[in-house]
Amino acid sequence: MAEGAIRRWLGSDMGLSFRASPVAVASLAVLVLVALSALLAPLIAPQNPYDLKQVFIDKAEIPPIWMRDGEWPFLLGTDPQGRDVLSSILYGTRMSLLIGVAAVAVSMTIGVSIGLAAGFLGGWVDNLLMRIADTVLSIPTLLVAILVSAVARALLPPGLREPFAAVILVASISLTGWVQYARTVRASTMVERRKEYAQAARIIGVSSARIMRRHILPNTLTPVLVAATLNLGLAILAEATLSFLGVGMPITQPSLGALIRIGNQYLFSGVWWLVVFPAVQLGLIVLSVNLLGDWLRDALNPKLN
Amino acid sequence: MSDPIALTVQDAVCLFDVSPPFLDRVLSGARRRVLRAVDGVSFTVRRGRTLGVVGESGCGKSTLARMIVGLQPPTAGTLRLEDMPRADGSLGRPRVQMIFQDPYASLNPRWRVGDIVAEPIRELKLLQDEAAVQARVAQLLETVGLAAADAARFPHAFSGGQRQRISIARALATEADVLVCDEPTSALDVSVQAQILNLMRRLQAELGLTYILISHNLSVVRHMSDDIAIMYLGRFVETGPAEEVFAAPRHPYTRLLLETIPDVQRPNRDRQPLSGEVPSPIDPPPGCPFHPRCPQAETACREARPALEAHGGREVACFLVR
């Protein structure tokens, strides 16, 4: 079933364009590999770096395996607490991807709903929603996120801060992230709702809510798909930035950004592998997502076909 | 001859406020501006007949069509659909549907043809049983000259003429009694136009449909219509039985319009071209709105606006027609 669907997709126009683009194929391959290894981290990682029974302090600061003093199974070395860097990266990638995908999903849901309402209802609803969007856009994203994270942390009792760290991050990224989706969807909604098929539905007597959901929404989703892909990279970066600044994930469940922050403290003592490898992984993910998004944007643009 | 009346339109007016935004009006003293798209139109359409509405671009034809189907509420006046007997014998308000000009925009590109045609049946709960809906869709597609198997395909697989057939099938799916056709063939090839028009005539004969046919194509209107109304700047200037109007146009505008039809018999006849543009409906000329373009305009035409008056079997709005 799934195999048949993939085979059919590869034969379609989009599939052909995909196969003709080595960059897109490579990006997708990297992303699939990264996502699979992150999801399967508990099965494939040499150790669970957050299980104290598996971490030994006498294995601290071992360099990567190809260097003198390198030691199996610590392929990319260990940190000053004896945690395996490769394992930390796999677990950290899991956290980064999770937060990135969740942030995109939340901001997309909010943004698409608001954009659809603004574009379809028009008038003062449109004005109100779009002025809110303008206001949100006029405040730097990171500033909002830092503020939200800090306020949420101050409000939550200390025991709840760590379990809710990921939720707070997703919320603070989505708080500004929805605007782009809202604007994209509003623009296409305003075009689609004037089209004759939407008017035909109105003449038949279909309710506005159903016209919005069943006629207009599916016809506005193509640009949303592109925006979502490109924003996944931005969301992962935003999470990494916040974690690097210390308002993101705690040390007990680090994301890639948190790993880089921790590694940064040891950079000048010569333990460079703590910061370089997570940074390379982060760069690889964001680059692949962006390249894939660029390809998707071109592939879905009928004027370029 | 005296079929019952299906639609009565009484002094329908539709104004659009095209004023600049509030802030501009306050700051630069810009005045409110009102576009008189339809400016007092009255007519009746009898059941099973076709009224053709002809006019140049911007004369208010499409706004009139949108008012009849309920997409545009009239600013003033009434549009009343008379109850008519249904298939089951009960009296009911006739259902009005619209056939649009652009067959490429009038079908949702992401829906299968079967779902497009079934939408009114499901939405209006005309049939409860899903199998019955599918059977009805197949029957409708065959009625308009498509295959039942086409229900599984998407609109992009069809040509303009075939899409227009799908639009007609969708309109018929509502058990429509009145079809408002806004330039139904002007986006189609000439060879396909005739097929669609003949399909419309066949359906009218079989189902007793009432048509309001909006067009700028005089040949199409002549081929299809029982009655005809010539529209100019939001008003009717001449109405009457189609053949009479075409045989002996009385309003100067109608005469000039008919002059523009090419004649195969007399290809190089001495034609008087219709000069000038339709004046802006925001700022119509005083008196008769046609006087700036009218070759016979007199002083009276510039001062007062002629009303639509009965002359024999038809009505004409012109001081020169006596």
Side-chain angles (χ1 to χ4, degrees):
Chain A
M1 184 71 190
E3 192 191 341
I6 291 173
R7 192 158 295 159
R8 230 174 309 128
W9 185 78
L10 283 175
S12 70
D13 284 357
M14 227 178 122
L16 288 175
S17 143
F18 179 73
R19 283 194 289 176
S21 162
V23 173
V25 174
S27 307
L28 189 68
V30 167
L31 279 181
V32 167
L33 200 71
V34 166
L36 273 182
S37 67
L39 282 177
L40 300 177
L43 298 177
I44 61 170
Q47 61 161 231
N48 179 351
Y50 309 107
D51 180 359
L52 291 178
K53 288 198 286 294
Q54 295 182 32
V55 177
F56 304 103
I57 193 73
D58 58 328
K59 301 286 187 196
E61 295 192 26
I62 294 175
I65 195 157
W66 59 85
M67 290 177 60
R68 214 160 47 87
D69 302 335
E71 200 174 312
W72 182 262
F74 307 114
L75 287 174
L76 301 179
T78 62
D79 74 0
Q81 273 80 46
R83 289 185 288 236
D84 177 36
V85 169
L86 177 61
S87 305
S88 303
I89 289 177
L90 291 181
Y91 278 86
T93 305
R94 199 153 79 129
M95 191 53 76
S96 285
L97 287 181
L98 184 79
I99 293 173
V101 169
V104 166
V106 170
S107 43
M108 189 164 87
T109 311
I110 300 173
V112 167
S113 315
I114 289 181
L116 203 57
F120 192 84
L121 301 174
W124 66 267
V125 178
D126 182 25
N127 263 323
L128 178 72
L129 291 174
M130 285 303 113
R131 292 302 82 75
I132 294 176
D134 291 344
T135 313
V136 169
L137 265 197
S138 67
I139 311 169
T141 310
L142 274 182
L143 209 62
V144 176
I146 291 171
L147 200 69
V148 170
S149 299
V151 170
R153 245 157 241 273
L155 291 179
L156 280 176
L160 288 179
R161 278 177 205 165
E162 291 199 355
F164 277 97
V167 177
I168 296 170
L169 264 180
V170 168
S172 53
I173 296 172
S174 310
L175 198 66
T176 49
W178 62 269
V179 175
Q180 194 189 347
Y181 299 99
R183 290 190 154 182
T184 312
V185 170
R186 171 179 174 267
S188 12
T189 301
M190 288 170 72
V191 174
E192 296 296 328
R193 84 183 175 111
R194 286 197 182 83
K195 286 208 181 149
E196 294 174 343
Y197 71 84
Q199 311 219 332
R202 267 179 69 191
I203 298 174
I204 289 166
V206 184
S207 69
S208 294
R210 277 170 77 87
I211 295 177
M212 267 199 264
R213 206 175 63 243
R214 303 197 53 215
H215 284 280
I216 293 177
L217 181 61
N219 282 300
T220 60
L221 286 185
T222 303
V224 170
L225 192 65
V226 175
T229 314
L230 292 170
N231 274 7
L232 178 62
L234 288 179
I236 291 173
L237 268 187
E239 184 279 326
T241 311
L242 290 173
S243 295
F244 182 79
L245 292 174
V247 289
M249 297 306 290
I251 299 175
T252 49
Q253 38 178 343
S255 62
L256 288 174
L259 286 179
I260 295 170
R261 174 168 63 93
I262 299 163
N264 195 38
Q265 297 162 2
Y266 297 95
L267 188 56
F268 291 107
S269 58
V271 191
W272 53 268
W273 52 90
L274 289 186
V275 68
V276 168
F277 294 121
V280 167
Q281 171 86 338
L282 181 66
L284 202 62
I285 295 172
V286 174
L287 183 67
S288 307
V289 167
N290 283 348
L291 289 175
L292 198 67
D294 280 344
W295 164 77
L296 195 63
R297 187 179 51 200
D298 292 349
L300 290 174
N301 185 347
K303 285 182 193 140
L304 289 180
N305 284 339
Chain B
M1 175 62 223
S2 58
D3 292 312
I5 287 169
L7 169 72
T8 311
V9 175
Q10 193 80 50
D11 291 323
V13 176
C14 186
L15 310 179
F16 292 105
D17 188 351
V18 290
S19 312
F22 176 73
L23 213 55
D24 289 11
R25 290 208 305 274
V26 173
L27 294 180
S28 60
R31 286 218 314 265
R32 276 193 167 277
R33 287 147 71 85
V34 172
L35 186 151
R36 309 183 77 85
V38 176
D39 194 6
V41 163
S42 302
F43 61 93
T44 58
V45 187
R46 294 189 179 277
R47 198 189 306 164
R49 316 246 296 174
T50 302
L51 170 72
V53 179
V54 188
E56 287 170 281
S57 305
C59 72
K61 316 187 287 281
S62 290
T63 307
L64 181 63
R66 291 169 58 85
M67 284 200 291
I68 295 171
V69 296
L71 281 178
Q72 179 71 51
T75 313
T78 55
L79 297 97
R80 197 169 69 252
L81 290 155
E82 312 291 341
D83 287 353
M84 55 168 65
R86 297 196 172 285
D88 58 6
S90 67
L91 271 180
R93 237 171 75 98
R95 291 216 171 90
V96 186
Q97 287 294 306
M98 188 156 173
I99 307 292
F100 292 95
Q101 172 174 6
D102 181 0
Y104 291 89
S106 60
L107 306 174
N108 188 334
R110 293 190 187 260
W111 282 31
R112 286 179 198 279
V113 168
D115 291 322
I116 291 174
V117 177
E119 186 183 28
I121 306 175
R122 293 182 180 136
E123 193 64 33
L124 300 169
K125 302 195 168 49
L126 297 174
L127 294 168
Q128 304 302 328
D129 182 10
E130 187 51 34
V133 173
Q134 296 303 333
R136 173 80 175 131
V137 168
Q139 183 206 343
L140 284 165
L141 287 175
E142 278 163 10
T143 307
V144 297
L146 294 168
D150 288 335
R153 301 164 77 191
F154 284 96
H156 65 75
F158 295 89
S159 69
Q162 288 172 320
R163 285 166 182 239
Q164 211 59 310
R165 289 171 191 270
I166 298 168
S167 286
I168 293 172
R170 172 177 61 191
L172 295 180
T174 62
E175 314 285 344
D177 309 290
V178 178
L179 286 191
V180 178
C181 309
D182 188 4
E183 307 268 13
T185 58
S186 51
L188 306 177
D189 288 347
V190 177
S191 57
V192 181
Q193 286 189 10
Q195 294 173 15
I196 296 295
L197 294 175
N198 289 335
L199 170 67
M200 285 172 60
R201 292 194 77 145
R202 200 190 83 218
L203 293 173
Q204 183 169 42
E206 286 173 8
L207 305 170
L209 298 174
T210 307
Y211 288 138
I212 291 142
L213 177 67
I214 312 265
S215 185
H216 62 262
N217 186 328
L218 292 158
S219 319
V220 167
V221 170
R222 183 172 203 174
H223 177 68
M224 297 289 293
S225 305
D226 301 301
D227 298 293
I228 182 173
I230 313 287
M231 204 165 174
Y232 189 79
L233 215 64
R235 293 178 172 229
F236 284 178
V237 293
E238 180 162 4
T239 64
E243 272 320 307
E244 285 181 32
V245 174
F246 274 96
R250 304 200 60 178
H251 195 281
Y253 178 61
T254 316
R255 273 203 290 268
L256 286 168
L257 264 189
L258 297 187
E259 278 280 311
T260 63
I261 305 179
D263 188 339
V264 186
Q265 254 71 55
R266 294 184 299 146
N268 296 317
R269 76 197 142 120
D270 189 19
R271 282 203 265 174
Q272 186 177 16
L274 183 51
S275 62
E277 298 263 329
V278 185
S280 162
I282 297 174
D283 186 19
C288 173
F290 186 60
H291 85 255
R293 299 168 78 188
C294 182
Q296 291 141 289
E298 294 175 352
T299 323
C301 304
R302 298 186 185 93
E303 284 158 5
R305 180 187 277 245
L308 204 57
E309 283 170 2
H311 292 275
R314 50 182 133 143
E315 297 182 316
V316 187
C318 182
F319 291 130
L320 302 170
V321 177
R322 292 181 189 101

